[in-house]
Amino acid sequence: MTKHLRTMTVAMLLTACAIVSNATEANTYNQLTNASEENVINADDNKTEKCVEFVAGTDNGSTGTLGGGFVSDEISKDGVKVYCSRASFKKNPYRFNGSSTTTISTETGNIVKIEIVGDGLTKLVENGEGEYNITNDLIVWTGSAKSVSFKNNKTLADYASATNIRVYVELPGTTTGIGSVNVDKHNNANNAVYNLQGQRIDGKSLPKGIYIKNGKKFMVK
């Protein structure tokens, strides 16, 4: 009788543990699924982001005169333009001369971040809305605008120089029609890549296009 009771007790304990384990696993799975669905729904706000980088000496303008004199110059790439009323962008580094205004603009979407790497950048001062963080060798602007401006109020020959200009643009995306993406609980979405049809694909070698990873869209150029 005692042995039978012990057997029943052990069986009941194992059953209880199994129920708790299954409930915990189900709860974890639901949390992962809900988080993924929330991210994908947020991604369906129809917005994707691209980064356009201008490299001095590679992406060149037309003015090569030292200091640029009174001549304007501009560089354009992937729908983004950097224009300065007095500049020389033909060589490395780019030069933004004194008594000038620089405007960075996008044809499509909104600029949400700008990074300028160079020297003497404190000569460029804010000229509009958004948050400007300006140090001698780095400028970071954040906000949301079709165009962003900087001014150099120094004398004509007192220029600021830049080697790299990175412009982050938030673009209208393509409606995917995806309401959610199924999560594989054994291979969580940390490495899973999906196409816009919601199909899981090999993320090692992707052709150009828009994909979803970790519930967020990204672009392969």
Side-chain angles (χ1 to χ4, degrees):
M1 181 68 176
T2 303
K3 182 177 181 180
H4 180 66
L5 289 173
R6 288 177 181 173
T7 301
M8 291 180 61
T9 302
V10 170
M12 292 174 64
L13 288 173
L14 291 174
T15 301
C17 289
I19 292 172
V20 171
S21 177
N22 290 337
T24 302
E25 183 177 0
N27 184 54
T28 301
Y29 176 76
N30 288 334
Q31 288 177 351
L32 291 172
T33 303
N34 292 337
S36 178
E37 288 178 350
E38 181 180 359
N39 287 334
V40 173
I41 291 170
N42 290 341
D44 273 346
D45 289 340
N46 298 335
K47 294 180 180 179
T48 55
E49 188 176 289
K50 71 174 181 178
C51 175
V52 179
E53 181 170 17
F54 298 90
V55 180
T58 300
D59 304 301
N60 299 325
S62 58
T63 303
T65 306
L66 180 63
F70 294 92
V71 183
S72 65
D73 204 356
E74 67 179 58
I75 44 179
S76 298
K77 187 176 181 180
D78 293 340
V80 174
K81 180 169 72 174
V82 180
Y83 170 85
C84 183
S85 58
R86 293 178 178 176
S88 57
F89 292 159
K90 192 174 183 178
K91 299 179 181 180
N92 183 9
Y94 298 136
R95 293 185 173 92
F96 306 88
N97 297 328
S99 302
S100 69
T101 300
T102 299
T103 302
I104 302 175
S105 59
T106 179
E107 294 178 358
T108 307
N110 283 332
I111 299 172
V112 293
K113 185 178 181 181
I114 296 172
E115 296 173 335
I116 302 176
V117 180
D119 185 53
L121 295 177
T122 50
K123 297 169 187 175
L124 300 180
V125 297
E126 59 187 77
N127 185 42
E129 297 181 353
E131 183 175 344
Y132 293 75
N133 187 352
I134 301 175
T135 64
N136 187 65
D137 56 4
L138 178 65
I139 292 177
V140 178
W141 176 92
T142 54
S144 181
K146 294 289 292 184
S147 64
V148 180
S149 293
F150 302 86
K151 290 185 72 70
N152 185 342
N153 295 321
K154 303 293 184 179
T155 58
L156 183 61
D158 199 1
Y159 61 82
S161 62
T163 57
N164 300 77
I165 303 172
R166 290 184 286 269
V167 183
Y168 298 82
V169 180
E170 189 176 70
L171 298 168
T174 303
T175 302
T176 66
I178 300 175
S180 64
V181 173
N182 292 330
V183 176
D184 183 346
K185 60 183 176 181
H186 298 296
N187 296 289
N188 196 7
N190 290 336
N191 296 312
V193 178
Y194 299 86
N195 61 22
L196 294 183
Q197 287 71 48
Q199 301 166 327
R200 184 168 177 170
I201 58 177
D202 184 0
K204 294 181 180 178
S205 180
L206 297 173
K208 294 181 179 180
I210 300 174
Y211 302 92
I212 296 174
K213 184 176 181 180
N214 291 334
K216 297 181 179 179
K217 293 179 185 175
F218 69 95
M219 179 183 295
V220 176
K221 298 176 63 179

